[in-house]
Amino acid sequence: MKSIYATLACFLCLNLSAQANDTLSVDFLKGHLQPIESIEPGTSDYSDLSFLKKELERVEIVLLGEQGHGDGSSFLAKTRLIKYLHEEMGYNVLAFESGLADCYRVWEAIQNGADSLAVFDLGIFPVWAKSKQVQPLFEYILEQSKTEHPLILAGFDMQPTGSVLSPAARYQEIDAYLTDQLGEQWKNKYTQFRKAYENIAQLFRSPLSQAEKDQLEQEVNAVSEAILTAGQSRKDLVMARYIQNLHSTISLFTNADMQNPSNTPHVFNIRDKRMAENFELIMNELYPGEKLIAWGANSHLGFGRALLGTFEGEEAPEQAMVPAGQYLKIDYQERLYSIAFTSAGGNYGSMNRPPMDLGTAHPLSLEAQIKKTGMPYAFLGLNHERLKGLRFAARIYGHGEMSGIWSNMADAVFYIERMEANEFKK
């Protein structure tokens, strides 16, 4: 992975002091928006998406974001886009913002004949696995798995995900794999590793000493190297990285200020850096030669957050975050295309609370201007010369208006006039 610091310096050298936001005119938007006819996954007439063949002509990686994980309409739109990219443009791998090893577990089960939607609970974050709006995508993955051109499921997060395996079951999975690969002696050879992974929850109650942390890091690296020395199958590559991912997760949650995340941005950036590394593992080693689609949050799949500001034009604390998309954009350049999803209002769904009203977009925001065109769904490419260096307000991150030079932070925007809340199956 190329050095990120020189690129970040280029972003940071731009003036981030209070600046006025520009407003895109309705006439400009009418001339440059691509109207989208439907976001329903069952709409098989893809003529409204045909412009993507030219737009993505040299693109190997398409990142599909979302403002938040309660965005039911975005999930439907992304599912339809994924079907088009798979069927018409040869994108054969779908990587979720969920655990690398966990999604591999799901895909392994599907390859072994699992055909129930419950299989996705083995690895996908519940906010998607339990979502009614994502079920059509899961049905599609199961259907395509029986064809000569399956849509391969992968995951790029470092965190353990899914709602089925307990911590004890995860350790048993690791134990069984390492015993098979390295023999029973691994338990006596890597004692700090075994002790930590046997009861990860204990680490949060009784943190390790610095000496124990150092030993754990050494043993994690040694175990990963031993796995790759013993074998180079996809499963071996995944398990070696799984061990490292769990260690990174432990490091994050034992060192971060969970009450005030802005106090420890360098710690929270561990996750996004590891996400990017996991994505490159998928791209370069697990499925080389395949074109990939990523599913995740705008905040993780965008780039150039140093250009972010508040609606009033002041610096925003979120600037300290270096998202996975930043690392990937530096490495893949024009071969990567990030689509940020946004909306002008509607509702947001949560697993634990009633749907939340998102309010109305500010009159000067991008979403309010697009709404004036009368298009319920639209696509705006951000590479147009008129948009270069332009600072304007948008609701792309978390449904709240923020100021940004968005042409340097994403490649396109997919607009939905009214967001319908994520709904959850029982």
Side-chain angles (χ1 to χ4, degrees):
M1 187 177 290
K2 298 176 184 175
S3 171
I4 194 172
Y5 299 107
T7 303
L8 278 177
C10 291
F11 285 129
L12 287 168
C13 71
L14 296 172
N15 180 18
L16 292 173
S17 60
Q19 309 173 46
N21 290 310
D22 291 296
T23 303
L24 298 181
S25 72
V26 174
D27 286 342
F28 171 83
L29 290 170
K30 283 182 176 179
H32 293 88
L33 287 169
Q34 290 282 350
I36 304 295
E37 295 301 321
S38 173
I39 61 170
E40 290 301 322
T43 303
S44 56
D45 179 356
Y46 293 134
S47 56
D48 59 327
L49 300 179
S50 62
F51 70 93
L52 289 173
K53 289 188 176 180
K54 182 178 180 181
E55 188 75 12
L56 305 177
E57 189 174 6
R58 296 179 178 83
V59 173
E60 299 170 17
I61 304 169
V62 177
L63 309 181
L64 302 179
E66 58 201 46
Q67 292 163 281
H69 299 327
D71 298 350
S73 298
S74 290
F75 300 166
L76 294 174
K78 291 204 284 187
T79 297
R80 183 167 181 251
L81 269 177
I82 289 165
K83 291 174 68 174
Y84 176 78
L85 293 172
H86 178 57
E87 294 171 17
E88 301 292 331
M89 298 189 65
Y91 287 82
N92 293 329
V93 179
L94 172 62
F96 257 86
E97 183 192 320
S98 290
L100 172 76
D102 300 280
C103 289
Y104 185 82
R105 184 187 305 115
V106 174
W107 183 242
E108 196 172 43
I110 291 172
Q111 287 182 302
N112 290 331
D115 60 359
S116 166
L117 290 172
V119 71
F120 295 95
D121 292 327
L122 284 170
I124 304 290
F125 267 122
V127 72
W128 297 304
K130 303 291 187 185
S131 169
K132 290 183 180 179
Q133 287 96 331
V134 186
Q135 300 311 299
L137 173 62
F138 295 153
E139 290 169 358
Y140 181 75
I141 292 172
L142 291 176
E143 290 168 3
Q144 293 298 301
S145 71
K146 300 175 175 64
T147 71
E148 293 182 1
H149 301 286
L151 179 60
I152 300 165
L153 181 71
F156 61 91
D157 205 343
M158 71 176 193
Q159 298 182 92
T161 58
S163 57
V164 176
L165 266 66
S166 66
R170 289 181 182 279
Y171 173 73
Q172 291 167 5
E173 181 182 55
I174 293 171
D175 182 14
Y177 172 79
L178 290 178
T179 299
D180 182 60
Q181 293 298 104
L182 308 179
E184 287 284 352
Q185 64 269 24
W186 79 265
K187 298 176 186 178
N188 296 323
K189 188 174 183 179
Y190 307 111
T191 54
Q192 187 64 53
F193 168 82
R194 177 180 56 78
K195 180 182 176 182
Y197 281 45
E198 204 169 25
N199 189 359
I200 288 179
Q202 181 65 27
L203 300 179
F204 301 102
R205 294 190 292 268
S206 302
L208 299 176
S209 67
Q210 188 58 53
E212 288 172 324
K213 288 181 180 178
D214 292 342
Q215 184 183 350
L216 177 58
E217 184 174 0
Q218 290 173 6
E219 292 187 8
V220 164
N221 292 334
V223 171
S224 297
E225 289 174 10
I227 290 171
L228 298 179
T229 299
Q232 287 283 321
S233 69
R234 282 197 186 113
K235 181 72 173 281
D236 297 326
L237 294 169
V238 168
M239 292 303 290
R241 182 60 60 84
Y242 182 33
I243 300 298
Q244 295 175 334
N245 283 344
L246 285 175
H247 181 247
S248 295
T249 302
I250 293 168
S251 297
L252 191 157
F253 286 105
T254 55
N255 292 299
D257 185 341
M258 304 304 292
Q259 299 301 317
N260 297 290
S262 60
N263 290 339
T264 52
H266 61 290
V267 177
F268 282 94
N269 281 336
I270 290 172
R271 183 185 175 204
D272 276 81
K273 187 172 188 296
R274 181 62 81 179
M275 279 182 171
E277 292 168 349
N278 289 340
F279 202 93
E280 293 198 343
L281 177 73
I282 296 167
M283 183 78 179
N284 299 328
E285 299 187 57
L286 298 183
Y287 304 106
E290 294 288 1
K291 295 197 291 186
L292 278 75
I293 308 165
W295 176 303
N298 290 337
S299 58
H300 292 301
L301 301 183
F303 38 88
R305 286 181 71 105
L307 301 174
L308 194 63
T310 66
F311 181 74
E312 293 77 15
E314 299 170 352
E315 292 187 21
E318 291 87 353
Q319 289 171 343
M321 177 181 175
V322 182
Q326 177 91 25
Y327 296 96
L328 295 172
K329 191 65 172 178
I330 289 170
D331 280 0
Y332 292 100
Q333 299 290 319
E334 71 279 355
R335 292 185 292 151
L336 179 142
Y337 195 97
S338 182
I339 303 174
F341 281 66
T342 195
S343 59
N347 292 301
Y348 181 90
S350 170
M351 295 187 76
N352 305 313
R353 297 187 302 273
M356 179 180 70
D357 187 347
L358 293 170
T360 304
H362 190 282
L364 299 179
S365 69
L366 170 67
E367 293 81 5
Q369 291 299 98
I370 297 179
K371 187 174 181 178
K372 292 176 185 176
T373 69
M375 301 180 195
Y377 315 113
F379 183 100
L380 177 65
L382 296 177
N383 294 320
H384 190 276
E385 195 62 33
R386 167 75 174 85
L387 300 177
K388 293 297 182 183
L390 199 66
R391 176 175 287 276
F392 55 90
R395 310 181 100 198
I396 288 170
Y397 289 154
H399 295 281
E401 279 83 7
M402 300 194 80
S403 170
I405 302 178
W406 295 103
S407 62
N408 286 10
M409 302 168 70
D411 293 296
V413 169
F414 191 111
Y415 166 83
I416 296 170
E417 180 178 331
R418 177 176 174 79
M419 183 65 64
E420 297 299 337
N422 186 6
E423 300 176 42
F424 298 94
K425 63 180 186 178
K426 302 299 183 181

